Amino acid sequence: MAQKAVCRLAVIRSMMTRTSGTTGRCDFQTNFIKPNQRLWLQQCSSYSSDQGSASIFNIQDSDDFKDRVLNSKIPSVVDFHAGWCAPCKMLAPRLEKAIEGTKGKVQLAKVDIDENTDLAIDYDVSSVPTVLAVKDGKIIDKFIGLQEAHSLKLFVENLY
């Protein structure tokens, strides 16, 4: 019985909803899931295409987020995404290109909401993709949904 209670964790469950088609985002809700559903969530692959760049990295947990983003002297763009989210998969290469254009002045932190539900909840992420601009440990800008390349470039340039 205790084991069953431990396995029934509150996590962000992949619940895509239909939006107006032009919003370019996936909405989800918090639900309790069963152990077999948890296994499925763990097997979902991330869309991340981290190419080993020091300025583009995946966040592993809350402590990693604090160390690499909040305590960083380099401004950060934080991409809250999910492997099942089509707009997230479209946004990723655009964000990476915008970050690479800064030549190390801005870094990109990727947060998979299925693996880091606590961070998604802490930062009020209710739709993906959600992207935050963080400078000196403070959120200075935010957007939700798919954005065009020129908008992303301006978003990133405002950080430095």
Side-chain angles (χ1 to χ4, degrees):
M1 181 109 166
Q3 182 182 12
K4 195 174 192 178
V6 170
C7 291
R8 294 183 64 99
L9 301 172
V11 299
I12 306 297
R13 183 174 176 210
S14 307
M15 299 294 290
M16 293 181 68
T17 61
R18 292 181 181 238
T19 56
S20 65
T22 58
T23 60
R25 69 182 197 203
C26 301
D27 294 326
F28 60 91
Q29 61 188 28
T30 303
N31 284 327
F32 283 94
I33 64 165
K34 297 176 184 174
N36 62 338
Q37 292 169 319
R38 182 174 186 217
L39 178 62
W40 175 82
L41 285 172
Q42 290 170 342
Q43 292 171 344
C44 289
S45 61
S46 170
Y47 77 89
S48 169
S49 61
D50 190 350
Q51 302 157 349
S53 171
S55 61
I56 301 174
F57 52 89
N58 292 310
I59 295 297
Q60 304 302 316
D61 55 31
S62 295
D63 290 334
D64 190 35
F65 184 82
K66 184 178 178 184
D67 292 341
R68 297 175 86 178
V69 175
L70 298 179
N71 294 335
S72 177
K73 294 181 181 183
I74 300 171
S76 303
V77 172
V78 182
D79 177 19
F80 286 92
H81 68 274
W84 45 262
C85 172
C88 297
K89 292 177 184 180
M90 294 168 56
L91 182 65
R94 295 177 190 179
L95 271 176
E96 290 172 6
K97 186 175 180 181
I99 295 299
E100 288 169 0
T102 68
K103 298 178 179 147
K105 293 179 184 173
V106 178
Q107 61 186 4
L108 175 61
K110 299 179 179 184
V111 180
D112 186 321
I113 62 160
D114 292 325
E115 295 174 8
N116 296 290
T117 56
D118 55 339
L119 285 172
I121 292 168
D122 289 347
Y123 289 92
D124 298 323
V125 176
S126 60
S127 298
V128 290
T130 293
V131 179
L132 307 177
V134 179
K135 188 173 185 177
D136 298 325
K138 296 180 179 154
I139 298 168
I140 61 169
D141 205 356
K142 175 181 178 175
F143 71 81
I144 299 171
L146 188 60
Q147 302 290 317
E148 294 297 325
H150 68 277
S151 298
L152 293 174
K153 184 178 177 186
L154 293 173
F155 181 83
V156 171
E157 287 175 353
N158 285 335
L159 278 169
Y160 63 96

